[in-house]
Amino acid sequence: MSKKRILVGEDDRSIRFALSEFLHENNYQVTEANTCEAIRQSFRTITPDAAILDYSLPDGTALDLLPFLKQSYPSVPLILLTGNGTIELAVQAMKDGAEQFLTKPVQMSAISVVLERALKNQRNYQKQLAGKAKEKRESVDPFVGISPAIKQIAEKA
């Protein structure tokens, strides 16, 4: 099985390094970014399996990124980190599609648990989508056409 790709979007070099090293040690493939634009570009080029993003970045916030990321990559779990979290900010992040919202300093064991749960939820989501697609392909509409006679037969059936 191939390594899961995790994007770490963090502008603080020491935190980014610590997260990346921890993830490498836990058998993840890590891509790093330090701005909103670099995160967008990384999503376009590698499409990670999950992303751990700092809330505050030099060119914007994670809340600025969430609409684009959730629309373009709906199945990718997004875990947000912040040094100055409020309940209102956490609620807004979750409403906008964040999988989890954690405050710094965060323990690596917490990151591990949250990431594993997010990836498991992602696999379940993808299985559901695949099952729905399969059901749709296998179902046959016996009433092909739009003529009044076909509509009448379909109504009677």
Side-chain angles (χ1 to χ4, degrees):
M1 188 157 124
S2 66
K3 290 183 177 183
K4 293 289 185 182
R5 295 177 312 268
I6 309 300
L7 173 63
V8 174
E10 169 65 64
D11 61 327
D12 184 306
R13 185 180 308 191
S14 61
I15 295 172
R16 191 173 61 242
F17 177 77
L19 281 169
S20 294
E21 285 301 305
F22 174 77
L23 294 169
H24 279 295
E25 289 170 7
N26 284 278
N27 208 29
Y28 292 105
Q29 180 182 334
V30 180
T31 300
E32 297 179 12
N34 60 1
T35 65
C36 291
E37 185 53 40
I39 290 168
R40 282 188 196 93
Q41 186 60 38
S42 293
F43 264 84
R44 289 184 195 112
T45 56
I46 66 158
T47 308
D49 295 300
I52 301 170
L53 307 174
D54 184 21
Y55 170 74
S56 183
L57 295 160
D59 57 345
T61 69
L63 289 183
D64 299 331
L65 290 170
L66 283 176
F68 164 75
L69 296 177
K70 290 315 288 182
Q71 180 180 2
S72 302
Y73 309 93
S75 68
V76 176
L78 305 171
I79 300 164
L80 272 55
L81 304 177
T82 186
N84 302 311
T86 63
I87 292 172
E88 293 81 15
L89 183 60
V91 168
Q92 187 61 50
M94 300 299 276
K95 280 183 180 179
D96 289 350
E99 181 85 16
Q100 191 64 256
F101 190 87
L102 304 171
T103 56
K104 297 177 193 172
V106 64
Q107 297 205 357
M108 292 301 171
S109 59
I111 290 281
S112 182
V113 169
V114 167
L115 186 56
E116 281 301 313
R117 184 173 353 127
L119 291 170
K120 182 179 178 183
N121 290 343
Q122 176 197 42
R123 283 189 297 273
N124 291 338
Y125 176 74
Q126 289 173 338
K127 285 178 185 177
Q128 286 177 336
L129 288 180
K132 287 178 184 179
K134 183 179 178 184
E135 286 175 14
K136 191 173 183 178
R137 282 192 313 268
E138 291 175 352
S139 67
V140 177
D141 185 1
F143 304 107
V144 178
I146 57 171
S147 71
I150 291 291
K151 287 181 182 179
Q152 190 176 32
I153 293 171
E155 287 173 11
K156 287 182 181 178

